Each structure stands twice: as structure tokens, then as C-alpha cells.
Amino acid sequence: MINNKDISAEEKILNAARRIFENKGMSGARMQEIADEAKINKSLLHYYYRSKQLLFEAVFKTAFNKLAPQINLVLNSDQSICDKIINFSNNYTSFMLKHPYLPNFILQELNRNPDFVKELISIDNFPNIINFKIQIEKAVSEEKIRPIEAEQLFINILALNIFPFIGAPLLKGFINASDKEYKKILNKRKTEVAEFIIKSIKL
Amino acid sequence: MINNKDISAEEKILNAARRIFENKGMSGARMQEIADEAKINKSLLHYYYRSKQLLFEAVFKTAFNKLAPQINLVLNSDQSICDKIINFSNNYTSFMLKHPYLPNFILQELNRNPDFVKELISIDNFPNIINFKIQIEKAVSEEKIRPIEAEQLFINILALNIFPFIGAPLLKGFINASDKEYKKILNKRKTEVAEFIIKSIKL
DNA sequence: ATATTTGTTGACCATTTGGTTAAACTTTTT
DNA sequence: AAAAAGTTTAACCAAATGGTCAACAAATAT
């Protein structure tokens, strides 16, 4: 049980804003709704964050900073390719099962405002493919994996891990699964995805 | 003059609404903006579609009806599994390169309003996995492909094909690609994705 | 030709929305 | 204990927004 009085207003606002923004997006969210969710007066939102835009950016960057390190584990750790794929698929899916709205939220807003990426790139530890590319090219030339471009493999890894969360409502419909059944399917993917990728790139 | 006006106002509105909704979503779109885009008076929007909600639903269902048949080609055609994967990956990516907005638009609104799926399910030809599942189970038992659940394979096929469009802004940043370079990468995926999948499921 | 239906517009309206302000209350500093 | 600084609230406000309406125009029927 979380005691609300132990959490500062500023933090309560950020949490409430996260829930509302994740659910409704920047344009769909209402400042009054966020205030209600945080159980504080609307003026406090502006006292701490000045404007809706700044509050949104605070939420967005917090969310993005949860995602980036996981991507970096694939791109910039010194694990073997197989270990990267196995660990990322397992860790990412586990994490996202707890925050299922996160990928959708981030991609939604980036699609709406592509220039926002440029701002993100300038921050520290923005994931970059360069080291991963070297690793893949080396593995290919050493015939440890079949020939494949690092970019394509990287897109595949992210696609297989992230899409099941973004596409959840549609996929549930297509495969006729209840929430519970779909969650079970996602859980299986913790190992299934890695197996699928490795089977494809091994020689 | 008579022939020049062969695009009815109703159609102009739908096209304009599509462009605006695609870009800004339901809550971000403004009726005035749609009217401006269609170069007609705002009252006409209400004359033809009564409300923003109904205009949105008209646009959404039009968009969804472009997507559904392609999914059905995977789920309910009588091609072999390999042909399905090859054809779908090629056709879908080709189609989406012309309509890159579509998957993001649809998934965004379904995530925002998951109950909307229930409405869609009731329409004709809503994609359903059942036939595909039979096909996969048969292929597995005949040892034509390695053991894999139809649901997982289906999610993988969609993920690999759809995600590169939804995740474009982020992926462009990660792999450091210009719009032109990214488009090139997407073009390669027309065959790359099928190869990736087939390599993974063959025995 | 005229009446009637259909299509189109500008002016207007009620409500919502992000944001401001001044005052009150609380905590910290002096 | 007084002053200062920080926090919280209710009351407002201007702009934006979805939507209505009456008038006008164009097409169609009589």
C-alpha cells in the first residue's frame, strides 16, 4: 500500500500525468483530468511544470529513459550475439508486461512529432547501432552467423519484441484471445522470440 | 467546370479528414483544420457526417478495410505457407511504402479505445486465425516446418512487416539513417523479411 | 417557369480548456 | 515570534472548439 502523503506533490503529478498521457496521448489528455488523477488542484500542475507541454516532455523523457538502456544492452554491451538476443527478449518482454502502454505511448508521440527524435538524439546514451554493426559484420565474416545486415537484424529484434505490445488490441482480435490468454502468449515469447531469431541466423 | 468538379464535397471531406486524422489522431485533429484542408466550410463537415466522432469512424473504417484483406491473404488463402510469407511480406511492404501512415493510425486509435475492436470484429471478413492455425498444425505434424505455434508465427509475421513503419522515427534515429536511406532499408525488407522467417521455421 | 429539394456558407453559441492571479495556508529561516 | 519562502487552493479568463442555425445558392422535380 502506497501512502500518498509520503509522495511529494511533484511526484504524484508526474505519476498521474504518466497514466493519463500513456492512455490518451498528449492531445487527448486534459490538465484537469491529470489533476484529478493526482488528487491535487489543477494550479499545482502549472506551479510545478508551467505548461502542459513541459509536463508532457517530463513524462516523455522519463518514459524514454526507461526504454533506452534496454536497447543499449543490445547495441553496446559486450555479450555475444546469442546472449544479447536471449537476454533482451526475456528482459524486455518481462519489463513490458509491467508497462504495456509504454512502447505505444513513445512511438505514438514520435510519429506525431518526428522532430522530437532530434532532441532525444542529443541526450546521453541515445542508442546507436554502430558497435552492434561491427559485431554483426565480424560474426558474419567469421561465419558464426549467416550473412545478414546489422540494420535488418536489429529492426527484426525490436519488431519481434515490441510489436506484440503495440499491436495487442488488434492481435487479440485476430487470434481470438482473451486478455488472459494473450498475456500467456506474451509470456511464452520471452523465450520464443530469441529461439525464432537464432534459428534464422545460425548457420 | 462540370467535369472539373467530379470530386464531390463528401469525398473531398473524407480525404482531407483522412490526412488530418492520420497525422494528428482523433483528439489532435480539429474540425476547422479538416475543413481548411478540404477547402470547404466547416458546416459542411457536419452536414455530411453530423459529428467529429462519426467522421472519424468513417475514416477509420475506410482505413481498416484497406488493411484487413491483406491480413486475410495470410490467414484465409490457399497458398502454401512459404508463398504466403513471401507474398505477404512483398505486398504488404510495397503497399505500406505508399501509405506509411496507415498502421500507426489504426493501432494508435485501437490502443486508445480497445472496445472499438469489438465493433470491427462484427464486420465481414474480419481476419481470424482459425484456418491458418489448421494449416500450420498440419505442416508441423507432416514435418514440413519445425514445431511452432500458429499464434506465435502469425504475430512474428505481422511484427516483422508492420513494425518498421510504426517504429520508423525511432529506428531512423537508432540506425542513423536519413529518410532516403531508411526507405531503401524498407525496400530491401520486401524479400528480407520472408527469408528471415522461412530460415527460422524450415527444418 | 416555379416549387422543392439538396448543397453551401457566415455568423453565432455553449462548453471546454490551458493558463493566470491573488490570497491562504504551511514550513523554514532569521 | 516574526519574516520569508514554499505550497496549495478557489475564482477567473481568454482562446479554442465542436456544433447549430438561418439564409442563400444550385440543382431537380413539377
Side-chain angles (χ1 to χ4, degrees):
Chain A
M1 185 72 188
I2 298 165
N3 186 349
N4 271 355
K5 285 177 183 172
D6 290 350
I7 301 174
S8 71
E10 194 168 353
E11 205 171 337
K12 278 200 287 183
I13 290 171
L14 205 67
N15 282 328
R18 179 180 50 76
R19 287 191 291 271
I20 302 295
F21 279 133
E22 278 181 6
N23 211 15
K24 314 214 163 174
M26 165 66 172
S27 56
R30 298 288 159 246
M31 293 298 267
Q32 186 59 60
E33 198 181 0
I34 294 172
D36 293 346
E37 176 83 16
K39 285 168 189 158
I40 47 93
N41 188 282
K42 179 162 71 86
S43 297
L44 259 202
L45 300 183
H46 293 97
Y47 177 74
Y48 282 111
Y49 293 94
R50 291 198 40 186
S51 69
K52 188 185 182 185
Q53 180 64 31
L54 289 174
L55 175 54
F56 171 77
E57 285 174 21
V59 168
F60 186 91
K61 282 171 182 165
T62 304
F64 189 79
N65 283 333
K66 282 182 189 163
L67 215 66
Q70 308 203 42
I71 310 281
N72 269 321
L73 231 59
V74 171
L75 295 177
N76 291 311
S77 77
D78 54 4
Q79 299 168 78
S80 73
I81 294 171
C82 269
D83 283 353
K84 281 181 176 182
I85 292 167
I86 290 168
N87 290 336
F88 178 72
S89 298
N90 185 35
N91 295 344
Y92 182 90
T93 301
S94 298
F95 180 74
M96 283 308 144
L97 278 166
K98 288 177 206 142
H99 308 269
Y101 292 107
L102 235 170
N104 185 55
F105 169 66
I106 288 175
L107 288 178
Q108 225 46 76
E109 301 300 336
L110 287 183
N111 272 297
R112 188 133 313 157
N113 186 4
D115 290 343
F116 204 28
V117 183
K118 287 172 195 156
E119 270 183 61
L120 292 175
I121 289 177
S122 63
I123 67 169
D124 276 351
N125 293 321
F126 184 84
N128 185 296
I129 202 174
I130 191 156
N131 289 329
F132 182 72
K133 193 167 177 166
I134 292 168
Q135 182 179 27
I136 295 299
E137 283 169 1
K138 185 158 171 269
V140 168
S141 74
E142 288 173 2
E143 297 190 341
K144 286 180 178 162
I145 60 173
R146 72 167 172 90
I148 186 168
E149 281 175 35
E151 287 86 353
Q152 300 287 354
L153 177 58
F154 177 63
I155 292 175
N156 292 350
I157 294 171
L158 290 195
L160 290 166
N161 279 294
I162 300 178
F163 183 77
F165 293 94
I166 299 175
L170 204 56
L171 289 170
K172 272 182 211 165
F174 290 161
I175 68 183
N176 231 330
S178 67
D179 287 2
K180 205 177 163 185
E181 288 165 335
Y182 192 71
K183 211 172 168 182
K184 228 173 185 172
I185 289 172
L186 289 178
N187 256 302
K188 272 196 192 165
R189 289 183 74 82
K190 287 181 196 169
T191 55
E192 185 80 23
V193 166
E195 192 190 342
F196 188 86
I197 298 169
I198 290 168
K199 280 222 160 76
S200 178
I201 62 172
K202 73 175 179 198
L203 280 168
Chain B
M1 279 296 275
I2 299 161
N3 281 338
N4 236 354
K5 247 199 165 180
D6 55 356
I7 299 176
S8 69
E10 193 168 354
E11 204 171 337
K12 278 200 289 182
I13 290 171
L14 205 66
N15 283 328
R18 179 180 50 75
R19 287 193 290 272
I20 301 296
F21 279 133
E22 273 160 22
N23 211 13
K24 314 211 164 179
M26 165 66 172
S27 56
R30 299 287 160 247
M31 293 299 267
Q32 186 59 59
E33 198 180 1
I34 294 172
D36 292 347
E37 176 84 14
K39 284 167 188 159
I40 47 95
N41 189 282
K42 179 162 71 88
S43 298
L44 259 202
L45 300 183
H46 292 97
Y47 178 75
Y48 283 110
Y49 294 94
R50 292 201 38 187
S51 70
K52 187 185 182 185
Q53 179 65 28
L54 288 174
L55 174 55
F56 171 77
E57 284 174 22
V59 169
F60 185 92
K61 281 169 184 167
T62 304
F64 188 79
N65 283 333
K66 283 184 188 160
L67 213 67
Q70 308 205 42
I71 310 281
N72 269 321
L73 232 59
V74 171
L75 295 178
N76 291 312
S77 77
D78 54 4
Q79 299 168 77
S80 73
I81 293 171
C82 270
D83 283 353
K84 281 181 175 182
I85 292 167
I86 290 168
N87 290 335
F88 178 72
S89 298
N90 185 36
N91 296 343
Y92 182 90
T93 301
S94 298
F95 180 74
M96 283 308 144
L97 279 165
K98 288 176 205 142
H99 309 268
Y101 60 88
L102 239 171
N104 185 55
F105 170 66
I106 288 175
L107 287 180
Q108 166 199 349
E109 300 300 338
L110 286 184
N111 271 296
R112 197 131 305 162
N113 186 4
D115 289 343
F116 205 27
V117 183
K118 287 172 196 157
E119 271 183 60
L120 292 175
I121 291 177
S122 62
I123 67 169
D124 276 352
N125 294 322
F126 184 84
N128 185 295
I129 202 175
I130 192 156
N131 289 328
F132 182 72
K133 193 168 176 163
I134 292 168
Q135 182 179 27
I136 295 300
E137 282 170 2
K138 186 159 171 271
V140 168
S141 73
E142 288 173 2
E143 295 190 343
K144 286 178 178 163
I145 61 173
R146 72 168 170 88
I148 186 168
E149 280 175 36
E151 288 86 353
Q152 300 288 353
L153 177 57
F154 177 62
I155 292 175
N156 292 349
I157 294 172
L158 290 195
L160 290 165
N161 279 292
I162 300 179
F163 183 78
F165 293 93
I166 298 175
L170 203 56
L171 289 170
K172 274 182 210 165
F174 289 161
I175 68 183
N176 230 331
S178 67
D179 286 2
K180 205 177 163 185
E181 289 165 335
Y182 192 71
K183 212 172 167 181
K184 227 173 186 172
I185 289 172
L186 289 179
N187 257 303
K188 273 197 190 164
R189 290 184 73 82
K190 287 181 196 169
T191 54
E192 185 80 23
V193 166
E195 191 190 342
F196 189 84
I197 298 169
I198 290 168
K199 281 226 161 72
S200 178
I201 61 172
K202 73 173 180 200
L203 279 170

